[in-house]
Amino acid sequence: MNTKDSFRIGQREFTSRLLVGTGKYKDLNETREAIAASGAEIVTVAVRRTNIGQNPDEPNLLDVISPDRYTILPNTAGCYTAKDAVRTCMLARELLDGHNLVKLEVLGDQKTLYPNMRETLTATETLIKEGFEVMVYCSDDPIAAKELEAMGCVAIMPLGSLIGSGLGILNPHNIRLIMEDARVPVLVDAGVGTASDAAIAMEMGCEGVLMNTAIAHARNPVLMASAMKKAIEAGREAFLAGRMPKKAYASASSPLEGLIHS
């Protein structure tokens, strides 16, 4: 990959367009190995579910995912109200010595884990006022995405499909509509199941993809992490290269001039 093909999220610049989570692995060693194989620079951590220093009697995730190597992205997974999400981000900032880049997600229910956009907008307003750089998990609604950007979010993260479903990108048209107007990075968040899903997102022109379950629940998570890294790179290169136009009929690959006639 061209190392100059970087992108910015808030005040930070990155070259890897694969963002990964830390949940659902069998142990911390597998977490460490898979994340290393992914080549990710941004690693998201569910503050309400993972120990990053708030419990000294439990293993600390940061011992295997070092903030010196990765940009730690605290997220508000498990929050169902704006109030809980804001409190979680405040805790993360305290634990991470003033770190202000966060991933906001406020969920609507436990069955779908679909975003509650009313609570998401409320939390976004408060967090931005408090000086956070907010990357926001949201529905694939172009109007909602535009409103979140106007509020000051540094990245818009529409779901590809339901969290942990592995269904891939079910509504690419809406995600394209979001990208058309966005002036901040648009990253697909949730629903990726395999490498081809990640490549599709990148071929569409997304700035990146965030995933967890697709890697952690693979039969071989470390190998899948490597596959995802390659898929992201291939999809990005295909987008930059520009695909051939689709045609309704065949078009000969070889030139017609100079044919030998019988």
Side-chain angles (χ1 to χ4, degrees), residues 33-53:
E33 291 183 357
I35 291 175
S38 75
E41 296 171 308
I42 301 175
V43 179
T44 187
V45 176
V47 178
R48 290 168 63 94
R49 298 170 178 165
T50 306
N51 181 36
I52 57 172

Side-chain angles (χ1 to χ4, degrees), residues 79-80 106-117 137:
C79 292
Y80 290 85
V106 187
L107 306 175
D109 61 44
Q110 294 185 358
K111 181 179 180 180
T112 67
L113 302 182
Y114 204 81
N116 181 325
M117 292 311 299
Y137 167 67

Side-chain angles (χ1 to χ4, degrees), residues 202-222:
M202 298 308 298
E203 289 171 3
M204 289 168 54
C206 292
E207 293 284 358
V209 179
L210 189 151
M211 66 182 74
N212 184 185
T213 310
I215 296 175
H217 277 188
R219 285 196 301 271
N220 185 331
V222 177

Side-chain angles (χ1 to χ4, degrees), residues 153-208:
C153 290
V154 297
I156 306 300
M157 306 178 73
L159 76 168
S161 52
L162 299 182
I163 292 174
S165 68
L167 292 173
I169 300 175
L170 297 184
N171 198 347
H173 179 68
N174 273 28
I175 293 177
R176 288 190 180 96
L177 290 177
I178 291 171
M179 289 190 294
E180 278 183 12
D181 289 334
R183 298 181 181 273
V184 297
V186 175
L187 301 93
V188 164
D189 180 10
V192 167
T194 190
S196 57
D197 298 330
I200 287 170
M202 298 308 298
E203 289 171 3
M204 289 168 54
C206 292
E207 293 284 358

Side-chain angles (χ1 to χ4, degrees), residues 188-262:
V188 164
D189 180 10
V192 167
T194 190
S196 57
D197 298 330
I200 287 170
M202 298 308 298
E203 289 171 3
M204 289 168 54
C206 292
E207 293 284 358
V209 179
L210 189 151
M211 66 182 74
N212 184 185
T213 310
I215 296 175
H217 277 188
R219 285 196 301 271
N220 185 331
V222 177
L223 186 59
M224 182 60 81
S226 176
M228 291 297 188
K229 175 184 177 180
K230 297 178 179 73
I232 292 287
E233 292 174 351
R236 177 64 180 173
E237 289 187 354
F239 171 73
L240 295 175
R243 65 157 291 145
M244 62 167 285
K246 294 182 179 181
K247 300 177 182 179
Y249 299 98
S251 177
S253 299
S254 303
L256 298 178
E257 294 81 6
L259 287 178
I260 298 174
H261 298 282
S262 56

Side-chain angles (χ1 to χ4, degrees), residues 91-112:
L91 173 61
R93 183 157 66 181
E94 181 178 341
L95 291 170
L96 296 172
D97 299 323
H99 182 87
N100 68 338
L101 181 67
V102 295
K103 180 201 165 189
L104 172 64
E105 55 181 84
V106 187
L107 306 175
D109 61 44
Q110 294 185 358
K111 181 179 180 180
T112 67

